[in-house]
Amino acid sequence: MTPAPPKNFHTSNPETETAIDRTIPDFPAAQLSDEDKYFTHHKPPSYLPDLEDEVKEFIEYHQRNTHKRIVLVTSGGTTVPLENNTVRFIDNFSAGTRGATSAEYFLENGYAVIFLHREFSLLPYSRHYSHTTNCFLDYMTEVNNKVEINPQFADEMLIVLRKYKQAKESNSLLSIPFTTVNQYLYTLKSVSQIMEIVEKKAIFFLAAAVSDFFLPQSRMPTHKIQSQESGGKLEVNLEPVPKFLSRLVDNWAPSALIVSFKLETDNSILIKKAKNALDRYQHQLVIGNLLQTRKKEVVFVTPSGENSWIKLTDDQISKEVEIESLIIPRVIEIHTQWIENK
Ligand code: PAZ
């Protein structure tokens, strides 16, 4: 039986009823077990139990009926709200291109995909027509008082439409949103613990750009910060976001293949930083990329010590080949080998 259609969660509205809560102890300065402390000092989003039910239903459906491998793709940037009734927040550049595009290639390769994305960022399939300089109406034309697809786009749209329908009809894509870094962390924790039943058939493909700094709930003002009260200046004192990858690898999803991304802007430190992440968290793969060239080249850094680059050729760039069409098959190869060798 196909599960009921997903509920519509919205993550971009602040939860005003949980505005500043003085009963929560102040967030302590950084210490060793920061990951655990984070969850005792920050409230989960109110919709989390419903979201967990959806994820369980999706995974159980595939366990029972399709036996597909399951990948959690994270995508887009997290926000750091500065006020509980959020007028201002800190954000980052990520549009969710890597995540949305990768999700499509995982689906094409037979995986079921849980797409944990920043609400209103790019989505698999619709990404071809949203967030462009075109208005969606530019894809339409009027013929005999009826709306039709502009023939200029029709062939390509048919291909995308078929893939989208296939993903939908096979119930292979579950999209769940986040907006803030707190929502992201709670959802990642819940989903990864639920996914543990899939064991080694699971991949975590962590392409989201997660903030390294945040403002603890205990210090977050309820209302819009008033410029008159601070002499016109805004000084923000942020805490480091604890490193959750260690929890994911060691506790939440110890059976899964974990792929993290490392983003840098300075070429000379990229590989070193990717290796450091691998040493520190002991997972299976870090994909390094530079902000400036991320759509053309990435480097795979694995525990074997080899760095292997994937670079689009000029010919591929001129044909608009998407680098994710090369990245995902390589990740799947690693997953297959890893399942066989376990
Ligand atoms: O979303 P996008 O396609 O514009 O960018 C993708 C990316 C650079 C955010 C991703 O490839 C990545 O490196 N994510 C991890 C970033 C980090 O926390 O280091």
Side-chain angles (χ1 to χ4, degrees), residues 52-288:
E52 287 169 345
D53 287 347
E54 268 192 14
V55 172
K56 273 186 207 139
E57 204 177 327
F58 181 78
I59 292 175
E60 282 165 9
Y61 172 81
H62 286 286
Q63 294 268 86
R64 270 199 313 271
N65 299 297
T66 69
H67 311 287
K68 284 184 175 186
R69 296 178 184 179
I70 299 187
V71 59
L72 175 80
V73 175
T74 71
S75 183
T78 59
T79 67
V80 175
L82 300 183
E83 299 132 342
N84 200 299
N85 289 283
T86 311
V87 175
R88 282 80 163 232
F89 54 88
I90 298 173
D91 204 350
N92 65 57
F93 69 95
S94 171
T97 312
R98 174 83 78 227
T101 313
S102 300
E104 286 185 22
Y105 289 106
F106 275 117
L107 286 160
E108 262 178 49
N109 281 280
Y111 279 68
V113 175
I114 300 175
F115 186 63
L116 176 58
H117 67 284
R118 163 77 175 272
E119 188 168 30
F120 307 125
S121 67
L122 290 171
L123 295 174
Y125 307 113
S126 75
R127 74 179 169 100
H128 297 271
Y129 307 103
S130 63
H131 300 61
T132 70
T133 45
N134 276 353
C135 164
F136 77 96
L137 293 169
D138 292 332
Y139 297 103
M140 323 278 182
T141 187
E142 189 184 325
V143 180
N144 299 332
N145 282 331
K146 287 202 170 126
V147 176
E148 286 187 6
I149 299 300
N150 184 332
Q152 187 190 340
F153 303 108
D155 288 351
E156 196 194 310
M157 203 177 269
L158 181 63
I159 297 170
V160 177
L161 179 70
R162 283 181 178 154
K163 289 180 184 169
Y164 168 69
K165 290 263 180 207
Q166 162 65 24
K168 210 170 166 184
E169 280 157 17
S170 62
N171 185 35
S172 298
L173 175 61
L174 177 68
S175 290
I176 50 179
F178 64 80
T179 297
T180 66
V181 65
N182 187 56
Q183 292 168 337
Y184 173 85
L185 294 174
Y186 264 104
T187 312
L188 178 66
K189 179 176 183 225
S190 287
V191 174
S192 57
Q193 289 173 330
I194 298 168
M195 270 178 79
E196 186 54 13
I197 57 165
V198 182
E199 297 182 339
K200 53 191 196 281
K201 278 168 77 177
I203 304 185
F204 286 78
F205 188 83
L206 306 172
V210 181
S211 174
D212 288 327
F213 308 100
F214 79 113
L215 184 65
Q217 274 172 7
S218 59
R219 299 213 301 257
M220 199 181 291
T222 307
H223 292 295
K224 184 180 168 213
I225 298 167
Q226 297 297 316
S227 55
Q228 302 94 309
E229 286 163 20
S230 54
K233 274 192 182 177
L234 177 62
E235 281 175 11
V236 185
N237 184 7
L238 302 177
E239 296 291 332
V241 171
K243 299 295 178 202
F244 287 94
L245 204 46
S246 60
R247 279 286 166 274
L248 181 67
V249 175
D250 296 334
N251 305 106
W252 303 341
S255 315
L257 181 96
I258 295 181
V259 181
S260 71
F261 276 79
K262 175 56 72 186
L263 173 76
E264 292 298 337
T265 55
D266 176 355
N267 196 14
S268 68
I269 61 169
L270 178 64
I271 303 235
K272 185 166 156 272
K273 294 290 288 280
K275 282 189 172 153
N276 287 350
L278 215 50
D279 285 348
R280 183 166 180 185
Y281 304 115
Q282 300 284 307
H283 56 305
Q284 292 74 34
L285 172 62
V286 177
I287 303 181

